[in-house]
Structure formats: structure tokens, C-alpha cells
Amino acid sequence: MEIVSDRALGRWENEGGGLARELRDQFPGVRDWHYLDTAASAQKPQAVIEAVSRAMGEDYATVHRGVYARSANMTLAYEAARRRVAEFIGGREDEIVFVRGATEAINLVAHSYPKKGRVLLSQLEHHSNIVPWQLGGYEIDVCPLTADGRIDLDAAEAMLSNEHVLVAFAHVSNVLGSVLDAKRAAALAHKVGAKLLLDGCQAVPRLPVNVVELDCDFYVFSGHKLYGPTGIGALWARKELLDAMLPYQGGGSMIDRVTFERTTYAPAPARFEAGTPAIVEVMGLRAAIDYVDGIGLDAIHAHEAELVRQTREALRSINSITLYGPENAAGIVSFSMEGVHPHDVGTILDEEGVAIRAGHHCAQPLMEHLGVPATARASFGIYNDESDVAALVRGLERVKRIFG
């Protein structure tokens, strides 16, 4: 399936996102709906839907086990998808572990990384980058934020010591859209002998990522925010780190030899993929990566940046609205309206055909820092355009009229 013609792609790059209307028709779940909740989960293009359908239908067979031709072919396709994921973020295929999502990836590291001690997090982290470290027995230190909602790396530098074994930061905040200076974060972590884990859930759908250039040690992301299926994601880790880690789940496929007395494990990454994998979802993830690459992450980022600029400018003109996060947030605008709970904002916007996220966004410590119980969040994808911004503003004007 052709994603987009060269002529249309050129129009996207030259006209700042006019292609969104053309792309919207490729997303059956969007079309006439003003969907502004992509940071929670992206809608799926027809190319991904068709890839999943083929993998579940005429191509389906289990992997790594059957000796018959279709199983062998599916195994080849599955491992080709691993190579594609590695290529997408600049790693090697033997450094990619397929997981259910970023949450499982962080839990894997928190339980399997052999060194325990102190971990430095930040005030803007998602719960999935807080709770696993608590469960893993780490002592948590919390890095503050700058006034505009970025992780304060000057403060991080002052806080870090040789007691820290890990630093775990969001590459892009799921609430504020602030982008981490990941290279500097890596340098600071490595200076004290710590490893850096980056939560890339909000970064990989909208920013070019190269783990080698970022100099991180672990990188995690979920497929469903990248226009792919739910239930699939990836952990990238330096090979020497994977080799030093023991699995925290056991079962089929991750073993070398099993006896009742002793089990030895397969080499990484297989040792971390116990049980029958998410075969169909992996095929969908590969299709999603191909789709996004066909458009270009630089173009996607520029398109979303323009929508963020338009949205912040429009909402700033409504004097009852408070905006959060930096001006150049990546694809996300969080806000609150004086005297109106975000859930009421979201409900009224839904009546206007506009879907946003309202709540604490799985970031309760950040809400406490902001001094609010919740925020409303509009987040953009490649299918959004100026009409979605206009619909959001019209809906918020109605909210204001209702609540006076």
C-alpha cells in the first residue's frame, strides 16, 4: 500500500502539514473526528490494519518452533521485524527485546539489572517510570524541573553521586511535551558511573531517535503510541548489559537446557522473551515503523510543532486558561481552565466531537508539583490539522459559556 506520493510528501514539507487531510483518510478511526489524544494511543493507519490482518490470517503460524514452511517464513518475518526496530532507533538487532510495552520494559530492567542502589528520576515521570523502581528495591531520588517544565539537568548534576546506579528520565514528557537534553543526561550519568534509561514512548512517534548518538544505555517505547498495535513494544539495551542480566520471567523459548535440578538460559535477547511472543503485534509494529518512516520524522515533528504553536497561541487568548510546559513542547499541550474540572472540560468537548485526555495522566507526582488535581491535554498526530485546533477552541469557548 502506498503511504503517500512523492508529490504529496513534498507538499507536507513545503506547506507545513497540509498533507494531514490526505493522510486522515488512511485512518479509519479518525476521518471526521477531532481526535486529540494521540499521546495516550495513536490511531492506526490502514497499512497497519492490513499487516495485522495478514499476520493473523493467511500468514499466521507460530515462530521459533515449527519445522514446516509457514512457521519458518513467519520466524524469518518476526526476526526481520526485530532488525527493522533496531534500524529505526539506531541499534543492533541482538540488542532489541520485544516486550508488551514500555511498562514491561522498565519492569524488566528494574528487576533484572544486577546492580541495586539509588536511581535518579524526575518530577515529570509517568508512573511506569516510578513504580517499577519501587518494586525493584531501589532508593529513589527526584530531580526537580525548570520553571518551564523541563528536567533540570543542572540540579541533576548537583544531585548525582557514585551511589547512583541508574538514571531514568522521560525523553519527552507525556504531560508537558518537554524534550530532554538526552546527550547531556547521558554524560552526567556516566560521569558518576551510572547508566541512563530513557522512556521514549512520546519521542519515537515524533522525533528521530538514534540510541548510539544519544549515548544512553537503555531505551524503551510502546508500539501503540507509534501508530502500531497495543501489546507490543521494545527494550533496547547495550548488548553487554543484556548479557549481564538474568531473566525475571521463565518459560518456553528462553532456555538453553532445562532439568528439574537446573536450567540454563538462551543468550540475550531470547532469554527475556519467555513464552509464545506477540507475533501478530510484531508484524503490526514493523508496518507502523515503515509507515512513519515513509512520511519522515523530521516532517512529522515540524507538523506537530506548528499545531502546538497554533494551539498555545489560541488558548493563551482565553484568559481563564493556564498553559503548562514549554513553548516548544513536542506534540502536546496541557492546560487547565479556572473553575472547571478537566473531566468536565473533556466531557463537553466530547459533545463537540473533540477527544482530549483529562486527568492526572499517570503522573500524580507531577500534578502535585503543578498544584492541580488534573489537567486537560491535547496531543497531536500526523492526521491532525488546523481544523482540529479550531474545533478545540470552539469547544473551550462553549465550556466557558456553560460555566460562566
Side-chain angles (χ1 to χ4, degrees):
M1 177 180 179
E2 183 183 44
I3 295 172
V4 59
S5 68
D6 290 340
R7 176 183 58 80
L9 182 56
R11 196 167 72 252
W12 174 292
E13 294 169 339
N14 295 327
E15 297 181 8
L19 184 60
R21 292 182 184 86
E22 195 167 314
L23 286 180
R24 193 188 295 252
D25 288 339
Q26 299 177 17
F27 288 81
V30 184
R31 293 185 178 157
D32 295 329
W33 188 28
H34 299 291
Y35 183 74
L36 297 175
D37 197 21
T38 296
S41 194
Q43 295 289 326
K44 319 308 174 193
Q46 191 63 37
V48 169
I49 296 168
E50 290 174 2
V52 168
S53 179
R54 285 193 305 273
M56 190 173 283
E58 61 264 35
D59 292 346
Y60 184 77
T62 192
V63 298
H64 300 143
R65 300 176 185 184
V67 296
Y68 47 91
R70 189 188 291 184
S71 177
N73 289 338
M74 185 58 95
T75 298
L76 290 173
Y78 182 88
E79 293 304 326
R82 192 190 306 273
R83 289 193 296 275
R84 186 69 180 93
V85 171
E87 175 189 44
F88 183 63
I89 60 170
R92 298 180 351 205
E93 65 179 292
D94 60 355
E95 298 172 327
I96 296 294
V97 179
F98 284 127
V99 287
R100 288 178 297 166
T103 297
E104 184 178 24
I106 297 173
N107 274 276
L108 193 163
V109 176
H111 285 82
S112 295
Y113 189 64
K115 292 181 67 177
K116 305 297 181 184
R118 306 195 77 85
V119 58
L120 181 65
L121 309 179
S122 83
Q123 285 182 314
L124 58 68
E125 301 306 320
H126 191 281
H127 295 164
S128 63
N129 199 24
I130 300 173
V131 180
W133 305 110
Q134 294 170 336
L135 292 173
Y138 289 81
E139 296 178 77
I140 294 174
D141 293 312
V142 182
C143 180
L145 307 181
T146 62
D148 65 349
R150 304 176 191 274
I151 297 174
D152 188 340
L153 292 182
D154 289 338
E157 184 173 19
M159 295 177 70
L160 281 167
S161 73
N162 57 13
E163 293 184 4
H164 289 95
V165 297
L166 284 160
V167 176
F169 287 159
H171 194 176
V172 173
S173 167
N174 74 303
V175 178
L176 304 175
S178 46
V179 181
L180 175 72
D181 182 349
K183 289 184 180 181
R184 186 182 176 204
L188 295 178
H190 295 159
K191 185 177 179 180
V192 298
K195 306 300 182 186
L196 175 66
L197 180 147
L198 294 176
D199 173 358
C201 280
Q202 300 299 337
V204 293
R206 52 183 54 92
L207 298 174
V209 170
N210 185 300
V211 292
V212 174
E213 292 179 1
L214 295 176
D215 199 28
C216 58
D217 302 285
F218 301 95
Y219 200 95
V220 307
F221 68 91
S222 297
H224 71 101
K225 298 179 191 293
L226 184 62
Y227 306 96
T230 56
I232 188 63
L235 161 68
W236 170 86
R238 296 180 188 272
K239 186 61 164 63
E240 64 270 20
L241 296 178
L242 283 181
D243 288 341
M245 292 162 56
L246 293 176
Y248 81 110
Q249 296 183 34
S253 296
M254 47 77 71
I255 56 90
D256 172 38
R257 178 172 172 76
V258 175
T259 68
F260 283 111
E261 293 73 32
R262 181 171 180 267
T263 294
T264 55
Y265 308 117
R271 69 172 62 178
F272 301 108
E273 296 181 5
T276 301
I279 302 164
V280 172
E281 290 78 4
V282 165
M283 298 301 109
L285 177 59
R286 177 177 182 172
I289 288 173
D290 288 342
Y291 186 88
V292 167
D293 261 354
I295 297 167
L297 282 161
D298 287 329
I300 291 170
H301 179 53
H303 173 64
E304 293 185 359
E306 174 59 19
L307 293 177
V308 166
R309 186 196 66 77
Q310 292 177 18
T311 302
R312 292 184 71 91
E313 182 178 323
L315 298 193
R316 194 177 286 111
S317 68
I318 303 175
N319 58 17
S320 60
I321 285 182
T322 298
L323 290 165
Y324 303 100
E327 290 298 312
N328 62 345
I332 291 169
V333 178
S334 282
F335 61 94
S336 61
M337 180 175 279
E338 185 179 359
V340 188
H341 194 282
H343 288 168
D344 293 322
V345 173
T347 299
I348 295 170
L349 286 175
D350 183 43
E351 295 172 356
E352 298 294 308
V354 179
I356 65 162
R357 177 78 177 269
H360 55 63
H361 314 293
C362 296
Q364 288 178 323
L366 176 57
M367 295 298 110
E368 184 176 350
H369 167 74
L370 296 175
V372 295
T375 67
R377 183 188 70 188
S379 54
F380 299 101
I382 55 181
Y383 31 66
N384 294 122
D385 61 18
E386 295 85 350
S387 69
D388 298 304
V389 178
L392 173 65
V393 173
R394 287 195 304 271
L396 290 173
E397 288 170 347
R398 180 176 176 232
V399 174
K400 189 175 180 181
R401 289 196 302 271
I402 290 173
F403 284 86

